[in-house]
Amino acid sequence: MTEPLYSLSISQLAPLLARGEVSPVEVTARLLERIKERNGELNAYLTVDEAGALEQAREAEACLGRGEAASLTGIPLALKDVMVTRGLRTTCASKILENFIPPFDATVVARLRREGAVILGKANMDEFAMGSSTENSAYGPTHNPWNREYIPGGSSGGSAAAVAADLCIASLGSDTGGSIRQPASHCGVVGLKPTYGRVSRYGLVAYASSLDQIGPLTKEVRDAAILLNTIAGHDPKDSTSVPQAAADYTEALGREIHGLKIGVPREYFGHGLDPEVEAAIRAALKTLAGLGADLIEVSLPHTEYAVATYYVVAVAEASSNLARYDGVKYGFRAEGKNLMETYLNTRTQGFGAEVRRRIMLGTYTLSAGYYDAYYKKGSQVRALIRSDFETAFKACHLIACPVSPTPAFRLGEKLADPLTMYLSDIFTISANLAGIPGISVPCGFSSQGLPIGLQLLGPAFGEAEILQAAYAFEQATDFHRRKPPF
Amino acid sequence: MAYEAVIGLEVHAHLLTHSKIFCGCATAFGAPPNTQVCEVCLGMPGSLPVLNRKAVEYALKMALATDCTIAPESVFARKNYFYPDLPKGYQISQFELPLAEHGHLEIKVNGQAKRIGITRIHLEEDAGKLVHSEARPVSFVDFNRTGVPLIEIVSEPDMESPDEAVEYLKGLRNILLYLEICDGNLEEGSFRCDANISLRPVGAKELGVKVELKNMNSFRFIKAALEFEIKRQRANLSAGREIVQETRLWDTSSNQTVSMRGKEEAHDYRYFPDPDLVPVRIDHDWLESLRKNLVELPKARLKRFQAEYGLPEYDAEVLTSDKALADYFEATVKLFPQPKQVSNWIMGELMRELKKEEAGIDSCRVSPAALGKLLSLVDTGALSGKLAKTVFEDMVATGRDPEAIIKEKGLVQISDSGALEALAQEIIDANPKEAADFRAGKTKVLGFFVGQLMKKTKGQANPQMANEIFRKLLA
């Protein structure tokens, strides 16, 4: 054993655990120790469940002893703090849920537990998943392990940083407009957003219900497939989860991609794309072509409306989803002289600036007299964006493009300019609006040594195909093997 | 100027499903506060709704019973507003695409039939209940009711008088009870009504400014509130004052409507389709099987009562206007197959007693079996009609069997002709003048003699025999 335990991936660690060469308690303890030592530098975790994790590790050990190992037995994971965990504080990085202890487990959490996973703790994020930098956390920003002056991306910045910095074996995040793929790209890890409806949203605290989707952030593509195997599938508690059975997503890994038609969207390579990012993506396309893929140009004509559409639809849903935080039932309450004052004080003091901004935007777009011009129009444009992809996928199997127009930016750089911040999601947002799956896989580094990710998008329920292509690309390159200087 | 009223009604009816509309919690009324709740109906972060199919089925039954057009696909929408009894900050309801539209209900007022249009029927969840402390300036919230399924039935503004409004409501309630999908309890709030009312000059086409009325939890209050509001609006209009568009509450202590909020304070509910729920698609075969298996409705039952039991229209109408009453009638007829007799007793004695006790037929202590037995005793001559009424009063009060009462009170009819003849002779002997009158042709005095005999026997003499005996003895 040359590599430290904490740096292993799921697929590296699982056989060691199965053979009894290392024990779940040993791995968990080692990670808890590393989190204790190093989390302060990154602020990747908001809550570390030391006692719970060790308890789960001991159970995993007993399971292994009885020869009852499941697919994740003894694997220590981190969860974005937007998935509820029974008895374990879940804050959504908001003051308004500062001391909120959920009475139930999210379906994904229950599935992870069933497969024997060890939950180390809850990862930092933008408050209620609203943001692209994890700077909108009420508990301070997360730092990028590749350079602590830089943002890790967001909103699943804590989950991505924890994976990149070996503060967990893998993690789960959520993606509403790029919140898994963009931080994965900025932190040099793999991030998969499944098809809308593939993974249950039950227990995922809602930001924009028609866009939110849970997915894995991992050190390598195979791990993303392994985690997806556990979390995907129909959930009767989520009416929007699809009844279609999930596949074994590891099956297609290793199959060659010779003859795979990969579409390159014309609209994604224009103004605003950082030259270093473009160079890395072009090189990645060449690699894919070298593996036998056919590159063809495709068009997604409504791309320029994606950001505007997103900021109409998402904020409208958010304004309604966040109405429940009123200080009456749980979480933070700021007392007032009467009911109205209590509402106003609670929500003014309990929510951060970006959340308040989106609630106000969403309230406006749903208001009488504006609904047709905004929400209704937004829903119509959304249908056009979806049909763009349907048309494109008639000509190609997958689409390859950048994840983010730039590498990670400096902490604080865009905080004062929300519009510029919103535009950084331009390449990821469309997939959420269309409901299709997408993956970010490491494909290079900027001259400053910051990671760059390649995005592969597939048609609805095309997870197996994008994992297959991402895996082929990963195996042909070594970007994923590099570790941050942390 | 003469004005006419225009009334439209919104009815909220609790559906009698065992579990709530979007979670598995129980719906039973009266449980200790916050004992029938879970993460879903409490709107805990991360929870999601899943539609209860039974609630859809019940709503469809009502839609079918009121001849609505059922939407093949309807959509749940969020109605957004803040209130402590609304845990999610929005109510899941239906807005643009309701479950059913364009139905109607026929009512009868003063013998005149009238068709009232039903604009729409949609499904929604109920909110919780606030309980205000009398001792301290504190309010408590009970979420047991949160998520109980409701249908909202919106009428067209087709009613012109409080009587029509009440008839329409009774008609709706009756259908809900026939379908067994709502218990129709106004006091407990499982059948609630809001009214929109405006006045316009007689003959005018345009509607006047409307006022919404709330807080009327009995038919009596609904009628009183509408009557009050018509008077109030007429007085204002006659004095040249404009009607203010507002929501008013019926105040039972002052017997008037009082302003609750004006138009400016009206909510903007910011409705939009609920992204947590998929559109409700109504399977054609399912709908057809519901249609085929729909229970007999009041109108059909009325016709059947006339045809099968030979009842006059009036009797059939009264009996079928209350499902429990109609059931009671049929159960009694099964045991005592003289429908008109049964109808007379139910509509006369039984309803009089119920009115006295302000009770419904459901709480009546006299079972159909007991009533049937009583009527058989009268029929066979074992009990006089008069005595039967006394026995019945006792049955209503105590719930006892008629034979037990008769035995205990010694009320058995005296049909022993020897004993009666002896008594009759005594009476004739004691009243020579009346006996002479009778013999002289004044046959009316026979009643006097029979009355005397009844007095002597404490009403137990068989009246028919008494008549015959006196005729014989005085001949």
Side-chain angles (χ1 to χ4, degrees):
Chain A
M1 272 304 304
T2 49
E3 281 182 279
L5 285 176
Y6 52 74
S7 70
L8 300 178
S9 66
I10 299 174
S11 59
Q12 290 165 335
L13 181 57
L16 300 182
L17 289 167
R19 290 198 298 266
E21 287 171 34
V22 295
S23 83
V25 173
E26 190 183 348
V27 184
T28 302
R30 185 69 196 87
L31 274 158
L32 288 169
E33 186 189 344
R34 182 170 165 83
I35 292 166
K36 206 177 256 175
E37 284 168 10
R38 308 295 303 272
N39 184 52
E41 297 164 47
L42 297 181
N43 196 26
Y45 281 93
L46 294 176
T47 304
V48 179
D49 185 19
E50 206 175 318
L54 285 170
E55 172 66 34
Q56 291 160 42
R58 278 191 289 272
E59 274 171 38
E61 205 154 303
C63 269
L64 287 165
R66 292 193 300 269
E68 293 169 3
S71 67
L72 297 172
T73 302
I75 307 283
L77 304 173
L79 298 174
K80 185 180 184 179
D81 204 18
V82 70
M83 284 158 249
V84 298
T85 39
R86 184 180 182 148
L88 181 62
R89 189 174 84 124
T90 301
T91 68
C92 296
S94 180
K95 186 179 172 183
I96 213 154
L97 287 175
E98 202 167 5
N99 295 307
F100 178 63
I101 312 284
F104 68 106
D105 270 335
T107 295
V108 290
V109 175
R111 285 175 180 238
L112 291 177
R113 291 196 202 282
R114 205 175 58 204
E115 289 298 311
V118 172
I119 290 158
L120 293 167
K122 310 299 287 287
N124 202 359
M125 55 187 278
D126 285 295
E127 185 179 0
F128 283 104
M130 297 181 188
S132 313
S133 67
T134 314
E135 291 170 294
N136 298 329
S137 166
Y139 307 101
T142 296
H143 298 261
N144 192 317
W146 293 86
N147 185 331
R148 294 188 53 250
E149 302 290 305
Y150 286 77
I151 59 115
S155 62
S156 311
S159 298
V163 173
D166 291 330
L167 296 178
C168 61
I169 301 301
S171 69
L172 290 187
S174 70
D175 191 316
T176 306
S179 284
I180 288 173
R181 291 159 288 158
Q182 186 252 24
S185 171
H186 287 348
C187 290
V189 299
V190 174
L192 172 71
K193 179 202 100 73
T195 307
Y196 184 78
R198 182 66 293 171
V199 176
S200 169
R201 291 187 297 115
Y202 196 80
L204 170 67
V205 180
Y207 156 28
S209 314
S210 74
L211 302 162
D212 295 340
Q213 192 64 193
I214 293 170
L217 289 117
T218 57
K219 295 174 186 175
E220 51 174 65
V221 173
R222 179 174 294 277
D223 285 8
I226 292 169
L227 280 182
L228 186 61
N229 277 352
T230 296
I231 62 174
H234 181 238
D235 178 10
K237 289 179 179 172
D238 174 2
S239 311
T240 64
S241 101
V242 293
Q244 201 171 317
D248 176 358
Y249 296 100
T250 59
E251 232 170 40
L253 305 181
R255 265 184 224 155
E256 59 174 279
I257 58 166
H258 192 87
L260 198 73
K261 277 191 199 154
I262 296 182
V264 182
R266 186 185 308 150
E267 293 80 3
Y268 283 43
F269 289 85
H271 179 71
L273 181 61
D274 180 279
E276 290 189 342
V277 173
E278 177 160 8
I281 300 298
R282 297 274 182 212
L285 293 174
K286 217 171 253 175
T287 304
L288 289 168
L291 292 168
D294 295 331
L295 301 182
I296 58 162
E297 192 185 72
V298 294
S299 174
L300 299 167
H302 295 93
T303 299
E304 61 172 309
Y305 304 111
V307 172
T309 303
Y310 174 85
Y311 278 97
V312 167
V313 174
V315 297
E317 292 177 10
S319 72
S320 174
N321 282 331
L322 271 63
R324 70 191 65 198
Y325 310 108
D326 57 5
V328 173
K329 308 163 293 284
Y330 45 74
F332 172 78
R333 176 194 291 175
E335 296 287 350
K337 282 203 289 285
N338 51 41
L339 178 64
M340 181 57 86
E341 221 176 65
T342 302
Y343 281 156
L344 291 173
N345 293 348
T346 297
R347 291 169 65 81
T348 306
Q349 294 168 33
F351 289 133
E354 183 61 27
V355 172
R356 290 203 305 275
R357 175 162 33 241
R358 294 192 193 190
I359 290 172
M360 283 187 274
L361 279 171
T363 304
Y364 178 79
T365 59
L366 289 176
S367 299
Y370 297 99
Y371 180 85
D372 286 354
Y374 292 106
Y375 189 80
K376 206 161 208 177
K377 184 65 79 183
S379 303
Q380 287 162 348
V381 179
R382 185 177 181 179
L384 293 176
I385 290 168
R386 189 177 295 137
S387 85
D388 276 2
F389 280 101
E390 280 164 11
T391 308
F393 284 125
K394 278 177 191 151
C396 63
H397 298 103
L398 300 177
I399 285 171
C401 59
V403 175
S404 179
T406 65
F409 44 88
R410 279 182 185 275
L411 278 159
E413 191 181 322
K414 295 189 182 179
L415 217 45
D417 186 359
L419 277 184
T420 317
M421 183 85 92
Y422 294 172
L423 283 172
S424 70
D425 296 332
I426 188 159
F427 300 138
T428 47
I429 270 175
S430 297
N432 298 82
L433 291 169
I436 59 170
I439 196 168
S440 172
V441 57
C443 76
F445 290 87
S446 72
S447 49
Q448 284 173 296
L450 292 166
I452 295 169
L454 166 72
Q455 181 170 222
L456 294 168
L457 300 169
F461 306 104
E463 281 85 355
E465 289 72 29
I466 60 175
L467 283 163
Q468 177 195 350
Y471 184 79
F473 177 80
E474 180 189 76
Q475 295 306 305
T477 57
D478 68 349
F479 304 110
H480 67 290
R481 292 211 181 85
R482 295 196 210 167
K483 291 283 184 184
F486 172 73
Chain B
M1 201 186 303
Y3 293 97
E4 62 183 13
V6 179
I7 302 168
L9 298 172
E10 282 172 25
V11 167
H12 287 89
H14 268 178
L15 297 180
L16 283 172
T17 54
H18 294 297
S19 56
K20 293 184 178 181
I21 184 168
F22 297 122
C23 64
C25 289
T27 53
F29 182 83
N34 298 311
T35 53
Q36 293 174 168
V37 294
C38 71
E39 67 238 28
V40 176
C41 53
L42 288 175
M44 297 294 266
S47 66
L48 293 171
V50 175
L51 180 59
N52 179 346
R53 188 180 154 95
K54 205 76 191 168
V56 181
E57 182 188 312
Y58 284 5
L60 286 174
K61 283 184 175 177
M62 189 58 184
L64 289 168
T66 50
D67 289 311
C68 285
T69 307
I70 287 149
E73 192 173 301
S74 69
V75 170
F76 280 100
R78 293 186 184 176
K79 179 177 180 178
N80 296 284
Y81 65 96
F82 286 93
Y83 206 61
D85 68 5
L86 194 67
K88 297 188 295 295
Y90 59 82
Q91 178 196 28
I92 304 178
S93 180
Q94 296 193 298
F95 187 57
E96 274 189 340
L97 297 165
L99 188 78
E101 289 180 285
H102 314 306
H104 57 83
L105 178 75
E106 220 156 84
I107 61 166
K108 216 172 195 182
V109 174
N110 301 328
Q112 285 285 98
K114 183 169 177 178
R115 178 179 274 205
I116 307 298
I118 289 173
T119 316
R120 56 188 276 150
I121 296 179
H122 72 243
L123 270 165
E124 60 185 31
E125 57 177 347
D126 204 352
K129 215 167 94 181
L130 289 186
V131 181
H132 304 289
S133 163
E134 308 235 327
R136 293 179 295 148
V138 173
S139 296
F140 302 94
V141 57
D142 176 6
F143 290 116
N144 281 352
R145 205 178 64 182
T146 309
V148 170
L150 290 174
I151 44 175
E152 181 173 328
I153 307 163
V154 183
S155 86
E156 290 291 309
D158 283 349
M159 286 150 280
E160 290 163 72
S161 69
D163 283 335
E164 286 186 7
V166 168
E167 276 313 300
Y168 166 79
L169 290 171
K170 284 184 172 167
L172 275 190
R173 181 174 174 276
N174 197 33
I175 293 177
L176 290 165
L177 293 174
Y178 265 69
L179 295 169
E180 295 177 333
I181 59 172
C182 174
D183 67 17
N185 193 320
L186 276 78
E187 245 172 85
E188 286 174 6
S190 52
F191 182 92
R192 304 197 286 264
C193 167
D194 298 335
N196 285 306
I197 175 164
S198 63
L199 258 54
R200 65 180 168 194
V202 173
K205 282 229 165 62
E206 242 172 80
L207 291 170
V209 177
K210 72 172 178 191
V211 165
E212 189 185 8
L213 299 182
K214 285 179 179 288
N215 196 40
M216 307 167 289
N217 64 353
S218 76
F219 289 127
R220 197 154 54 85
F221 291 155
I222 290 163
K223 189 162 185 244
L226 288 169
E227 278 168 354
F228 177 89
E229 196 53 25
I230 289 171
K231 261 189 222 153
R232 188 189 70 86
Q233 291 189 22
R234 184 184 291 136
N236 275 337
L237 289 170
S238 302
R241 290 189 293 266
E242 281 185 7
I243 303 297
V244 181
Q245 189 178 332
E246 61 183 347
T247 301
R248 297 177 72 86
L249 297 181
W250 174 248
D251 179 26
T252 48
S253 56
S254 64
N255 285 328
Q256 55 184 358
T257 64
V258 291
S259 184
M260 176 185 149
R261 60 165 178 250
K263 190 186 173 191
E264 315 75 48
E265 301 152 75
H267 295 294
D268 175 0
Y269 290 119
R270 291 172 282 118
Y271 281 100
F272 74 106
D274 190 336
D276 287 335
L277 289 159
V278 291
V280 187
R281 293 193 179 88
I282 305 300
D283 176 70
H284 178 264
D285 293 344
W286 185 36
L287 185 62
E288 284 318 303
S289 103
L290 288 178
R291 195 194 302 275
K292 222 175 65 199
N293 296 314
L294 210 59
V295 296
E296 184 186 37
L297 293 169
K299 226 160 101 179
R301 202 174 196 182
L302 188 151
K303 293 236 164 74
R304 182 167 64 80
F305 272 26
Q306 287 176 265
E308 189 177 329
Y309 301 120
L311 292 182
E313 189 182 6
Y314 178 74
D315 289 37
E317 239 173 49
V318 171
L319 291 173
T320 57
S321 70
D322 178 342
K323 178 173 187 289
L325 204 59
D327 289 346
Y328 189 98
F329 167 80
E330 294 212 79
T332 311
V333 167
K334 223 172 238 168
L335 302 162
F336 180 73
Q338 295 190 32
K340 183 57 187 160
Q341 288 289 96
V342 174
S343 167
N344 287 348
W345 264 82
I346 290 177
M347 289 174 57
E349 301 311 310
L350 181 64
M351 286 179 75
R352 183 160 51 243
E353 290 301 325
L354 291 177
K355 213 168 191 176
K356 249 196 257 171
E357 301 205 349
E358 289 188 357
I361 187 82
D362 303 313
S363 53
C364 179
R365 291 194 199 85
V366 182
S367 68
L371 178 60
K373 204 181 272 176
L374 181 72
L375 295 182
S376 300
L377 289 172
V378 177
D379 192 51
T380 55
L383 196 64
S384 71
K386 191 158 177 250
L387 276 181
K389 284 175 191 179
T390 317
V391 173
F392 187 70
E393 272 172 39
D394 194 316
M395 287 163 72
V396 170
T398 64
R400 287 191 300 169
D401 185 79
E403 278 167 341
I405 297 167
I406 290 165
K407 204 169 163 197
E408 184 204 271
K409 294 194 172 174
L411 293 178
V412 186
Q413 190 156 275
I414 303 169
S415 301
D416 176 347
S417 57
L420 288 177
E421 262 189 51
L423 285 170
Q425 195 55 59
E426 275 177 36
I427 292 165
I428 292 167
D429 294 346
N431 298 283
K433 186 180 170 289
E434 281 77 9
D437 285 350
F438 183 85
R439 290 191 181 105
K442 277 196 178 169
T443 51
K444 270 202 287 188
V445 288
L446 185 67
F448 163 80
F449 284 110
V450 172
Q452 289 298 309
L453 182 63
M454 285 296 172
K455 211 167 161 188
K456 265 208 151 99
T457 61
K458 291 186 188 130
Q460 281 167 271
N462 181 327
Q464 214 164 351
M465 284 179 79
N467 267 304
E468 283 164 21
I469 288 167
F470 278 111
R471 277 183 201 281
K472 197 176 86 186
L473 294 179
L474 291 167

